[in-house]
């Protein structure tokens, strides 16, 4: 699971570098020197206070602030021109995706033609996992719902942070575009490194400890950005790296943790996937609204709130499991006592009486 999820991070890390050569800087026609104008038409019969002229390839209409004052012009239309060829990066990704889909189709056809179809009945005990007991329906669906909520918060942060980070540093912090691509690759690269480390780490730590470590690192990373970003750009780099490392193994470990407590079937998996899809769809517009309505830093504040909510949800889940296990153990002890018809103290007393009786019988004999 960690290895497959690591491949996702590898692709996300390489794509910004793939798109960077095809990006172009945005040029804006907010201010012009009148000497740059060619083909100037400074007369307008219908509205004398307008001037129409061409600068490069941009046709601009200017309004005179003071009638007759040519040197003080205010732009009536703000034009932005993009000369990049970003469509080629999408074309390259599309070709790679088509090749992968073609290889999968060949594999499916090979299995259907050359091998027997897969049936659950063909599995032996070596390839199947049997739970010792069926979960309580209330407990089961509570865990499914909370796990779906946890994945909603995680995917919302991962998809939105990775997609909007470049916009935040370029438009919100005034960085150059290539630096936006660089810090985005740093974010996905930290997730890649974390997932690589998570493969051996899963052999030494149980899922609960890994999830706690994930949540704490995410909170530390985003709090560092929110509180110390004014110190310098290195704070944003450091906080982004810690934030990405915290996210790295969260999804795969959440599924492992859930599968330890309930039977994860198709219905449960659908809830998890729905939570992830909803997170990627819902969080982006909310952050975009905060970004435009208030200020760019609200993007980081919102991620901080989500990180602490994620930690809170996991604490609730773990507490719920502990309470359920204690209650189940208590019910099991009561059931065992009921089946025997006596308490452990009564059983010990009867064993002592039996031993004394056997000893007396031996003495008489």
């Amino acid at each position: 699971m960690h290895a497959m999820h690591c491949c996702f991070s590898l692709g996300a890390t390489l794509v910004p570098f793939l798109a960077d050569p095809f990006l172009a800087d945005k040029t804006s026609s907010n201010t012009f020197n009148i000497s740059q104008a060619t083909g100037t038409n400074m007369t307008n019969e219908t509205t004398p206070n307008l001037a129409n002229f061409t600068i490069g390839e941009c046709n601009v209409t200017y309004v005179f602030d003071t009638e007759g004052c040519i040197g003080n012009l205010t732009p009536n239309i703000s034009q932005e021109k993009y000369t990049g060829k970003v469509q080629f990066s999408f074309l390259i990704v599309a070709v790679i995706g088509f090749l992968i889909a073609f290889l999968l189709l060949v594999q499916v056809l090979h299995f259907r033609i050359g091998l027997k179809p897969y049936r659950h009945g063909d599995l032996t005990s070596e390839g199947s996992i049997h739970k010792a007991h069926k979960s309580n329906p209330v407990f089961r669906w509570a865990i499914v719902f909370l796990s779906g909520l946890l994945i909603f918060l995680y995917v919302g942060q991962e998809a939105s942070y990775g997609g909007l980070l470049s916009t935040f540093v370029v438009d919100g912090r005034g960085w150059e575009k290539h630096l936006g691509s660089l810090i985005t690759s740093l974010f996905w690269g930290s997730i890649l490194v974390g997932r690589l480390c998570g493969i051996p780490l899963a052999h030494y730590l149980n899922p609960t400890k890994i999830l706690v470590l994930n949540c704490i690192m995410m909170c530390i990373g985003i709090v560092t950005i929110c509180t110390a970003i004014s110190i310098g750009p290195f704070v944003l780099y450091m906080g982004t790296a810690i934030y990405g490392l915290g996210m790295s193994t969260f999804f795969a470990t959440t599924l492992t943790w859930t599968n330890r407590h309930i039977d994860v079937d198709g219905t449960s998996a659908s809830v998890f996937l729905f939570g992830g899809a909803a997170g990627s769809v819902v969080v982006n517009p909310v952050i975009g609204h905060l970004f435009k309505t208030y200020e760019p830093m609200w993007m980081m504040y919102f991620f901080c709130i989500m990180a602490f909510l994620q930690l809170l949800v996991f604490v609730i889940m773990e507490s719920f499991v502990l309470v359920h296990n204690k209650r189940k153990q208590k019910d099991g002890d009561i059931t065992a006592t009921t089946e025997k018809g006596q308490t452990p103290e009564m059983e010990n007393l009867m064993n002592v009486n039996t031993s004394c009786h056997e000893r007396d019988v031996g003495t008489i004999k």
Side-chain angles (χ1 to χ4, degrees):
M1 178 80 66
H2 290 288
M4 290 189 294
H5 216 201
C6 182
C7 295
F8 167 81
S9 302
L10 178 63
T13 304
L14 297 178
V15 164
F17 290 106
L18 175 66
D20 186 66
F22 302 103
L23 298 177
D25 292 333
K26 181 177 66 176
T27 59
S28 176
S29 59
N30 290 330
T31 58
F32 292 100
N33 189 341
I34 194 66
S35 62
Q36 296 175 339
T38 59
T40 305
N41 177 16
M42 302 302 294
T43 60
N44 193 311
E45 297 179 356
T46 58
T47 52
N49 63 334
L50 293 181
N52 301 320
F53 53 90
T54 303
I55 297 178
E57 298 179 1
C58 299
N59 296 320
V60 184
T61 300
Y62 271 58
V63 181
F64 287 92
D65 285 343
T66 304
E67 186 175 357
C69 180
I70 300 178
N72 187 11
L73 302 179
T74 303
N76 186 33
I77 300 175
S78 178
Q79 297 185 359
E80 293 180 348
K81 182 184 176 185
Y82 295 87
T83 58
K85 299 184 182 298
V86 70
Q87 64 271 19
F88 288 106
S89 60
F90 287 100
L91 181 62
I92 293 173
V93 173
V95 171
I96 295 175
F98 175 79
L99 293 176
I100 294 174
F102 178 75
L103 293 176
L104 288 175
L105 177 63
V106 171
Q107 186 180 19
V108 169
L109 293 177
H110 170 73
F111 273 93
R112 286 186 175 273
I113 294 173
L115 298 176
K116 294 181 180 180
Y118 168 79
R119 291 194 302 266
H120 290 282
D122 295 336
L123 289 176
T124 62
S125 58
E126 296 179 357
S128 61
I129 300 176
H130 300 283
K131 299 290 182 182
H133 60 275
K134 291 292 182 181
S135 301
N136 186 326
V138 177
F139 171 78
R140 170 186 172 79
W141 284 109
I143 293 298
V144 169
F145 172 77
L146 291 173
S147 298
L149 180 59
L150 203 63
I151 293 175
F152 168 86
L153 294 170
Y154 156 73
V155 175
Q157 291 177 83
E158 183 188 59
S160 300
Y161 194 88
L164 298 175
L165 181 58
S166 180
T167 303
F168 172 78
V169 298
V170 173
D171 295 341
R173 310 299 298 179
W175 292 18
E176 298 292 335
K177 278 196 172 182
H178 71 278
L179 295 178
S181 300
L182 178 63
I183 195 170
T184 301
S185 295
L186 172 66
F187 172 68
W188 292 112
S190 62
I191 293 179
L192 171 63
V193 172
R195 287 172 182 168
L196 284 173
C197 297
I199 297 173
L201 190 65
H203 292 283
Y204 298 99
L205 296 178
N206 60 45
T208 301
K209 293 180 180 178
I210 296 177
L211 287 176
V212 170
L213 183 63
N214 289 145
C215 292
I216 292 176
M217 290 185 66
M218 289 176 65
C219 292
I220 292 175
I222 197 65
V223 168
T224 301
I225 294 174
C226 292
T227 57
I229 192 173
S230 59
I231 296 177
F234 73 94
V235 173
L236 187 56
Y237 283 108
M238 181 179 65
T240 297
I242 297 174
Y243 194 50
L245 285 173
M247 287 186 184
S248 57
T249 58
F250 193 87
F251 183 82
T253 309
T254 299
L255 295 183
T256 305
W257 183 93
T258 306
N259 193 50
R260 282 195 168 194
H261 299 288
I262 63 172
D263 294 313
V264 178
D265 54 10
T267 304
S268 306
S270 299
V271 174
F272 302 155
L273 293 177
F274 174 79
S280 62
V281 171
V282 172
V283 176
N284 257 324
V286 174
I287 294 179
H289 175 73
L290 295 174
F291 193 95
K292 292 183 178 180
T293 305
Y294 298 99
E295 62 177 22
M297 273 305 299
W298 268 99
M299 168 179 162
M300 296 301 174
Y301 299 152
F302 191 78
F303 284 130
C304 186
I305 294 172
M306 292 187 69
F308 279 96
L309 280 177
Q310 183 174 300
L311 176 60
L312 177 62
V313 170
F314 178 68
V315 170
I316 293 173
M317 290 173 62
E318 188 66 27
S319 302
F320 189 67
V321 168
L322 291 176
V323 172
H324 173 77
N325 290 340
K326 288 183 179 179
R327 183 178 300 175
K328 183 178 177 182
Q329 184 178 6
K330 182 178 179 181
D331 293 342
D333 294 340
I334 295 175
T335 302
T337 301
T338 304
E339 290 177 352
K340 292 182 179 180
Q342 54 192 8
T343 63
E345 291 77 7
M346 294 176 60
E347 184 178 358
N348 292 333
L349 182 60
M350 292 190 65
N351 290 334
V352 172
N353 292 335
T354 302
S355 300
C356 294
H357 177 72
E358 291 177 351
R359 185 186 58 189
D360 294 341
V361 170
T363 302
I364 293 172
K365 288 182 178 180

